[in-house]
Amino acid sequence: AQSVSQHNHHVILSEAASLELGCNYSYGGTVNLFWYVQYPGQHLQLLLKYFSGDPLVKGIKGFEAEFIKSKFSFNLRKPSVQWSDTAEYFCAGDRGSQGNLIFGKGTKLSVKP
Amino acid sequence: GAGVSQSPRYKVAKRGQDVALRCDPISGHVSLFWYQQALGQGPEFLTYFQNEAQLDKSGLPSDRFFAERPEGSVSTLKIQRTQQEDSAVYLCASSVSWGAGNTIYFGEGSWLTVV
């Protein structure tokens, strides 16, 4: 069965620290992968997405993610986090051909000023 | 409007009561999705519409859940005889067309608490 897993439930960092959030998927065939962010009290917003081509994908607000097919991973990275990055981050992948998504359970990021 | 709009934002229902949750997708968006997000979990798929056609309802947890999109724009998710386990955030999302890889835009959700 298709699944997406996120290993870190809650990550606490100080400002300027580097960030890497893990995401692994279990799929067969073509994979489209996404990272969404949910700031407190706001709706889910797309950070970045991977369809094909360059496995290093750059998104908004300085975030990037690397698709590593051999490891079934799509980890999210940011070299230097800010307090405003405090949010919950969700990894997701396509479910079938309709464009529907399967989500991981999310990782809550707290950045201390 | 500019984004996906949902109402009500917050709903407290007594167990056994029926509730209706409304979604206004982004204008012109063909695909519409409903998700359920329990506390501490990621969103889970409920159902999918392409225009007015409900093409996938495999995620609806029971026959107490019903969704419609009669004119291919606004959608309503109805939950009959609510139970405590129905307490969750119900997210509506839309995308401009159907098919894998399209960006899906989410609303802020309707928070349902069943007491």
Side-chain angles (χ1 to χ4, degrees), chain B residues 3-76:
Chain B
V4 178
S5 177
Q6 293 186 246
S7 61
R9 288 293 316 281
Y10 304 93
K11 175 70 177 178
V12 178
K14 291 185 178 179
R15 193 172 57 173
Q17 188 178 354
D18 296 349
V19 300
L21 308 176
R22 176 190 166 104
C23 172
D24 235 308
I26 294 172
S27 178
H29 277 198
V30 167
S31 294
L32 185 144
F33 305 85
W34 283 99
Y35 290 82
Q36 180 190 58
Q37 186 175 15
L39 195 64
Q41 303 293 318
E44 293 196 1
F45 169 75
L46 293 177
T47 187
Y48 163 72
F49 289 86
Q50 183 179 325
N51 295 309
E52 69 278 4
Q54 189 175 20
L55 298 186
D56 188 344
K57 53 182 181 179
S58 61
L60 295 176
S62 77
D63 58 8
R64 296 186 294 104
F65 286 71
F66 172 74
E68 60 183 4
R69 193 186 186 198
E71 297 179 359
S73 55
V74 170
S75 177
T76 303

Side-chain angles (χ1 to χ4, degrees), chain A residues 36 49 51 94 97-101, chain B residues 35 45 99-101 103-104 107:
Chain A
Y36 278 84
K49 57 185 180 181
F51 293 161
D94 272 338
S97 61
Q98 298 161 347
N100 187 16
L101 298 176
Chain B
Y35 290 82
F45 169 75
T103 298
I104 298 178

Side-chain angles (χ1 to χ4, degrees), chain A residues 2-8 20-27 31-38 44-50 64-68 71-77 87-95 100-108, chain B residues 35 37 41-44 106:
Chain A
Q2 298 167 336
S3 67
V4 173
S5 59
Q6 295 180 244
H7 315 299
N8 310 105
E20 181 161 3
L21 301 181
C23 172
N24 286 91
Y25 64 92
S26 160
Y27 271 55
V31 177
N32 298 311
L33 296 164
F34 306 78
W35 275 98
Y36 278 84
V37 61
Q38 189 168 31
L44 283 162
Q45 300 174 42
L46 182 68
L47 270 180
L48 50 80
K49 57 185 180 181
Y50 170 77
E64 65 179 31
E66 186 174 11
F67 172 62
I68 303 179
K71 296 184 178 179
F72 299 93
S73 70
F74 188 58
N75 292 356
L76 181 71
R77 300 194 296 243
E88 190 154 19
Y89 293 80
F90 293 92
C91 183
D94 272 338
R95 177 182 184 272
N100 187 16
L101 298 176
I102 294 178
F103 285 86
K105 290 187 176 183
T107 298
K108 186 176 177 181
Chain B
Y35 290 82
Q37 186 175 15
Q41 303 293 318
E44 293 196 1
F106 285 83

